Amino acid sequence: MTTEAVKRIAKVSTVASMIQHRANDTPDDVAVRQKSLGIWREITWCEYWMQIEAVAYGLIALGVEPGDRVAIQSENRPEWIIVDAACSVIRATCMGLYPTNPAAEVEYLMADSASKILIAEDQEQVDKALAVRGNLPELERIIYVEPRGTNRYDDEILMSWDELVEMGDEYRLADARLLPRKMAEVEPDDIAYLIYTSGTTGPPKGAMLSVGNVGFACALLGSSGGFVDPAPGPNDDLISFLPLCHVYEKAFGHWLNASAGTVTNFGESLDTLNTDMREIQPTIFEAVPRIWEKMHAGILIRMASASRFKKLNYSIWMKTASRIGKKLAANGGAWTLGTRIQYWFGYIFLFRALKERLGLSRCRHGITAAAPIAPEIIEFFMGIGVPVYEAYGMTENAAISTTNRPGRVILGTVGEPYDEVDIRLDDSTGEILVRHAGVFVGYWAKPVATAETIDADGWLHTGDVGEWDGSNLKIVDRLKDIIITAGGKNISPSEIENLVKMSPYVGEVVVIGDRRKYVTALIAIDFDATSEWAQRKRLAHTTYRDLSEKPEVRELIQRVITEANGQLASVEQIKQFGFMTKELDHEDGELTATMKVKRSVIVSQFADEIEALYR
């Protein structure tokens, strides 16, 4: 993207304005694809904008005023981003709920935000809202997208998506100039989004992102000085599968689509992600570390049960990939003649088929963010020709902080600050402080929390501890998660956890040791990988708990722990470990929707098991 294009985007005040611009300039180009019943359906920029207009008029007809909150609870689908953009047209504030939020959390989020309208995907989400509507006096209308099961309900608060669009079309005929007037009134300080935090340290807080915050993020992400070179554009495909109510997916699945013209692809569900990936072969793929870890583990699992010839071929060329990955890591990610020659042979015999199976054969830029990842995982993907870059951002700064750059990668760091981003470390605690035009307005209805997070000089206190590696930033850990042992040693649990999670048999790890004499860990096995291992060993098992309680599985994980301990200082080594007896789940409050472990919940839930490790 040219400098002039960046300037133009910076002046365009909303995501909707960017979409409108593309609908005018390239009306027949593909903006979005959606897969339904195995068929991919394309939506052009013109069709996209017409649907946004209809929904915007429909919301106005329902009485939505500037500043009113419109909530969405749905899996990723075109209607999600249509509502999002429609809100920005009429100066309303968009608020997203995770589709896995149970009724109690729906009640909290809807009540806290005082949302006026709820867009609910299907009967499941409608039922949650109806169950708590008595405690939501601000809620005036529930609009369901999927009619199956809900169209039989006789409740005046309910309305179908088709009825909303029809209402909007009628309103447009009555006053076709209304939307242009609304869009002309947009101010940079308008609150575009309420994005609720994960709730890892308490009840979720609604982070307010303004129109100006989002415009800043869009201008950086879509520019030639952004995260990828060359700049993203209409030839780039992305798969939208992370929750759209999270800033990470919103930035790449929605904002980048509007600002750079990339194509956003919506698969059928998370269960079909692997198939959808193979069909689309995205050019830019953003994911949380757990997704990259699962891909890595999946490869190891498949090879463990492959034929002898395939195992031999895999072993030979993965040694080559390891050499390539190490060389690239040492060279900032830049290729040399030697690595290109080695890769060419590996591509013929293994890498091409492997990348096609993963859905990454066209991937020119992979991104991992939102949680720590082991550098060895990134090195693995680099070795097979998938460039993966660790980045850093958060809801409170519109996902903009740092990213590793092509040719300047330092594994174990989250990269360099973006242009126009100031970062410094607190002199006493090492906390990362960020300041730029994307730093959020504050927490909704929480002035004290806002004052604790943004200081008088405009610095955002991230809560993360960092250190510099040259011009690259390294995240040590969350400030609140740093372990201080009984002997006074400071330990970063995430570094230990990442080492253990390199094993395909380990799903999650929670390291314990604050104010304790030694370090211990709670392990959640990866059920698929460990179950496959158990079947090869003819080890009969049924449930997750049954498998994790097998002595043979304990011996397996002990070997993993011993290997990890060999790379750690004595004070950091895991002296005892226990198992979490169930798979961690967002609906049970143990994980955030982006698969981050809620450490405090785990410590409380498994308190007896932890105490047993110290007896």
Side-chain angles (χ1 to χ4, degrees):
M1 187 176 292
T2 65
T3 302
E4 291 303 315
V6 173
K7 289 180 179 178
R8 189 199 73 227
I9 284 181
K11 291 179 181 178
V12 175
S13 56
T14 66
V15 170
S17 298
M18 300 176 205
I19 296 170
Q20 183 189 40
H21 178 86
R22 295 197 172 276
N24 291 335
D25 283 5
T26 56
D28 298 325
D29 285 2
V30 177
V32 174
R33 291 191 193 94
Q34 181 184 25
K35 188 179 181 184
S36 178
L37 301 176
I39 305 297
W40 288 97
R41 181 175 68 88
E42 295 182 341
I43 301 173
T44 66
W45 287 104
C46 181
E47 293 168 335
Y48 186 17
W49 176 245
M50 289 181 67
Q51 291 180 54
I52 291 168
E53 279 191 323
V55 171
Y57 273 112
L59 293 174
I60 292 172
L62 289 175
V64 176
E65 299 284 346
D68 284 346
R69 274 72 63 204
V70 175
I72 314 171
Q73 187 170 28
S74 170
E75 299 284 356
N76 293 16
R77 55 188 299 152
E79 288 85 355
W80 217 115
I81 57 177
I82 287 168
V83 172
D84 184 314
C87 287
S88 69
V89 170
I90 63 175
R91 304 179 67 193
T93 299
C94 181
M95 190 277 282
L97 297 93
Y98 294 103
T100 51
N101 282 133
E105 292 180 10
V106 171
E107 178 184 347
Y108 172 81
L109 295 170
M110 291 291 292
D112 188 73
S113 62
S115 292
K116 193 172 188 177
I117 304 289
L118 171 65
I119 311 294
E121 180 177 28
D122 52 21
Q123 184 180 8
E124 178 187 0
Q125 311 303 353
V126 167
D127 287 345
K128 293 175 187 176
L130 291 177
V132 298
R133 64 181 290 198
N135 299 323
L136 303 174
E138 306 291 338
L139 181 61
E140 297 181 3
R141 187 73 69 168
I142 301 172
I143 299 165
Y144 54 87
V145 179
E146 295 286 350
R148 186 173 60 184
T150 53
N151 55 5
R152 298 193 305 270
Y153 288 8
D154 183 18
D155 195 316
E156 62 182 13
I157 200 172
L158 295 176
M159 171 185 280
S160 73
W161 177 266
D162 290 342
E163 288 174 319
L164 174 68
V165 172
E166 183 179 347
M167 179 184 289
D169 287 336
E170 292 175 358
Y171 208 94
R172 174 164 39 191
L173 292 174
D175 187 355
R177 299 293 303 165
L178 179 59
L179 285 195
R181 292 199 301 271
K182 289 278 188 184
M183 294 176 72
E185 294 169 356
V186 171
E187 296 289 341
D189 293 335
D190 288 348
I191 304 303
Y193 298 105
L194 270 188
I195 302 180
Y196 277 82
T197 59
S198 307
T200 54
T201 58
K205 300 186 290 290
M208 296 181 285
L209 289 182
S210 70
V211 166
N213 294 152
V214 177
F216 174 80
C218 287
L220 279 186
L221 290 171
S223 72
S224 56
F227 67 97
V228 61
D229 185 33
N235 293 324
D236 282 310
D237 278 290
L238 292 89
I239 295 270
S240 178
F241 71 98
L242 298 173
L244 266 166
C245 49
H246 192 275
V247 74
Y248 189 14
E249 183 61 49
K250 199 178 290 292
F252 287 95
H254 186 34
W255 300 348
L256 189 64
N257 167 257
S259 63
T262 57
V263 180
T264 294
N265 296 272
F266 293 99
E268 291 192 85
S269 71
L270 273 175
D271 295 333
T272 65
L273 177 61
N274 292 340
T275 301
D276 299 336
M277 289 268 300
R278 287 195 289 270
E279 292 175 355
I280 293 297
Q281 299 289 337
T283 58
I284 297 173
F285 182 66
E286 89 281 0
V288 294
R290 189 62 188 136
I291 298 297
W292 295 106
E293 291 162 359
K294 291 285 282 186
M295 284 185 173
H296 174 253
I299 294 169
L300 300 182
I301 293 168
R302 284 194 296 272
M303 284 302 104
S305 56
S307 66
R308 185 174 299 177
F309 174 77
K310 286 185 177 180
K311 283 182 179 179
L312 178 61
N313 184 65
Y314 175 83
S315 175
I316 291 170
W317 294 108
M318 284 312 299
K319 288 178 181 176
T320 301
S322 178
R323 289 195 297 270
I324 294 171
K326 291 183 186 304
K327 181 64 176 177
L328 291 176
N331 202 37
W335 289 78
T336 64
L337 178 61
T339 55
R340 289 187 186 280
I341 292 172
Q342 292 180 75
Y343 178 75
W344 185 82
F345 284 105
Y347 183 81
I348 293 173
F349 291 101
L350 178 67
F351 303 157
R352 178 179 60 182
L354 187 58
K355 292 200 298 180
E356 285 178 353
R357 185 174 183 85
L358 291 172
L360 297 172
S361 66
R362 295 199 303 144
C363 183
R364 70 186 183 97
H365 197 95
I367 309 158
T368 178
I373 188 170
E376 291 82 1
I377 297 290
I378 297 178
E379 190 177 284
F380 170 86
F381 282 100
M382 290 170 68
I384 64 171
V386 179
V388 179
Y389 302 88
E390 192 169 4
Y392 173 58
M394 57 196 305
T395 301
E396 288 85 347
N397 58 29
I400 300 296
S401 288
T402 66
T403 183
N404 275 281
R405 307 297 181 111
R408 302 201 299 270
V409 174
I410 300 179
L411 291 192
T413 77
V414 292
E416 310 163 32
Y418 280 90
D419 295 340
E420 302 180 49
V421 170
D422 295 326
I423 293 181
R424 69 179 181 86
L425 304 181
D426 184 270
D427 293 335
S428 58
T429 63
E431 183 182 12
I432 300 167
L433 309 181
V434 179
R435 185 171 64 183
H436 59 65
V439 170
F440 77 142
V441 176
Y443 293 116
W444 174 259
K446 290 180 171 56
V448 174
T450 298
E452 292 172 347
T453 306
I454 307 175
D455 65 28
D457 294 322
W459 290 99
L460 171 68
H461 292 244
T462 64
D464 293 312
V465 177
E467 57 187 37
W468 292 105
D469 186 342
S471 60
N472 281 30
L473 181 66
K474 179 181 179 181
I475 308 294
V476 175
D477 217 316
R478 293 290 292 169
L479 186 61
K480 62 181 178 57
D481 290 339
I482 295 291
I483 289 173
I484 304 175
T485 67
K489 297 291 185 179
N490 283 22
I491 295 174
S492 168
S494 65
E495 293 186 0
I496 304 171
E497 290 161 358
N498 279 335
L499 273 176
V500 178
K501 285 167 66 177
M502 276 296 297
S503 167
Y505 306 115
V506 176
E508 293 294 347
V509 186
V510 175
V511 166
I512 314 294
D514 196 43
R515 311 299 173 183
R516 306 275 194 169
K517 292 182 179 180
Y518 52 86
V519 171
T520 62
L522 290 176
I523 307 289
I525 61 171
D526 185 294
F527 183 74
D528 293 336
T530 309
S531 177
E532 195 276 341
W533 172 87
Q535 290 174 48
R536 294 201 314 272
K537 299 291 184 182
R538 301 181 183 275
L539 184 61
H541 59 280
T542 52
T543 63
Y544 179 95
R545 180 166 191 154
D546 176 48
L547 181 59
S548 64
E549 290 178 344
K550 298 289 183 185
E552 296 86 347
V553 171
R554 184 170 189 87
E555 291 174 7
L556 172 69
I557 300 303
Q558 180 63 68
R559 291 195 293 272
V560 172
I561 297 292
T562 300
E563 183 177 348
N565 280 344
Q567 303 176 59
L568 295 168
S570 177
V571 71
E572 299 172 317
Q573 292 176 359
I574 298 170
K575 301 299 192 294
Q576 298 284 347
F577 72 92
F579 286 108
M580 299 181 223
T581 51
K582 65 181 291 295
E583 289 189 90
L584 304 186
D585 193 273
H586 172 236
E587 293 190 35
D588 292 336
E590 299 148 342
L591 295 175
T592 70
T594 51
M595 304 183 193
K596 287 186 286 189
V597 174
K598 293 186 177 181
R599 189 179 298 270
S600 60
V601 173
I602 299 302
V603 170
S604 173
Q605 188 168 313
F606 293 94
D608 291 341
E609 288 84 350
I610 292 171
E611 290 307 316
L613 298 175
Y614 289 96
R615 281 202 289 269

